[in-house]
Amino acid sequence: NSPATPPLFDVHRVETSVNIMSFPGRAVQRTWHLVDATSQTVGRLATTVAPILKGKHKPTYRPDGDVGDFVVIVNAEKVHFSGKKWSDKLYRWHTGYPGGLKERPAKDMLERKPESILKKAILGMLHRNNLRNSHIEPRLRIYAGPDHPHAAQLPEGVKPLPVHPRKRMGNFHFGLGEKYSETPYHPGSAKGREDEA
């Protein structure tokens, strides 16, 4: 009897290789972004800032790499919560002593520490690891008022990032707005536009 020939393709032994670009720390380019939190919903603003801190908008993004940018948020005291969250949402923490569970409503947190509302929302969307605690968190700068001490990186003429699109605000664009491209979007096929021209 001749020995059985091995199969050409083994489903259980599929090896995949992914080419990941890796750069040393000195080659990572970081940009400073300005965000105006006036009248912005906390959760929607956090979903805009968290990917920038991680660097997901860059082609050099790696999940285990510190490739994100700096984000400066101003007017944190003017954020918005939908529904009854100002009275119903509670922030809890423990002092470490027996019976030391503390809680504070969102409206009281806004009066005492307005920066903490956005900080907890943004950092809560990131993985809890050393990358977040040691590298990503220091690049998030939140200020209650309109002033910030980063004029060298963000001069006066810098425009803040666009507001998160909302349907009822009239600026919902399915990802085809100013955030992604300066070119206006024209509906219809390219052939139809050539015929019109």
Side-chain angles (χ1 to χ4, degrees):
N1 295 337
S2 61
T5 58
L8 297 176
F9 183 79
D10 190 356
V11 177
H12 303 288
R13 291 186 178 181
V14 177
E15 295 182 1
T16 59
S17 61
V18 179
N19 295 328
I20 299 176
M21 293 181 292
S22 180
F23 298 91
R26 62 181 179 274
V28 176
Q29 297 180 353
R30 302 193 190 277
T31 310
W32 288 70
H33 302 270
L34 180 64
V35 178
D36 188 0
T38 303
S39 301
Q40 293 207 49
T41 308
V42 173
R44 292 178 181 272
L45 179 59
T47 57
T48 305
V49 174
I52 296 176
L53 289 171
K54 285 200 70 174
K56 283 195 168 185
H57 60 293
K58 298 181 178 181
T60 57
Y61 167 72
R62 290 181 295 125
D64 60 338
D66 180 27
V67 296
D69 293 340
F70 289 86
V71 177
V72 178
I73 303 178
V74 295
N75 294 320
E77 61 187 4
K78 299 179 181 179
V79 292
H80 170 69
F81 267 130
S82 60
K84 299 180 180 179
K85 293 188 182 72
W86 285 120
S87 56
D88 294 351
K89 185 175 178 63
L90 297 175
Y91 291 93
R92 293 188 175 94
W93 70 96
H94 203 284
T95 61
Y97 291 93
L101 181 64
K102 304 288 185 181
E103 65 179 27
R104 185 176 294 163
K107 59 182 179 181
D108 293 344
M109 183 69 81
L110 183 69
E111 296 176 0
R112 294 175 179 237
K113 296 180 179 178
E115 303 91 352
S116 298
I117 293 178
L118 277 175
K119 186 175 182 180
K120 287 178 178 290
I122 294 170
L123 295 181
M125 294 185 178
L126 304 173
H127 292 291
R128 293 160 177 81
N129 51 22
N130 292 335
L131 182 64
R132 184 190 81 163
N133 300 333
S134 302
H135 301 282
I136 295 179
E137 187 175 350
R139 286 190 274 104
L140 176 63
R141 317 289 173 88
I142 304 177
Y143 301 97
D147 300 327
H148 60 84
H150 307 289
Q153 294 83 9
L154 297 168
E156 288 188 8
V158 174
K159 293 175 58 177
L161 291 179
V163 181
H164 191 285
R166 296 291 305 276
K167 185 174 183 180
R168 61 179 169 181
M169 290 175 60
N171 61 351
F172 193 71
H173 48 63
F174 294 101
L176 300 173
E178 296 179 356
K179 179 179 178 183
Y180 301 97
S181 174
E182 296 285 336
T183 308
Y185 172 69
H186 299 286
S189 63
K191 182 179 179 182
R193 288 198 299 271
E194 291 175 359
D195 296 341
E196 292 175 4

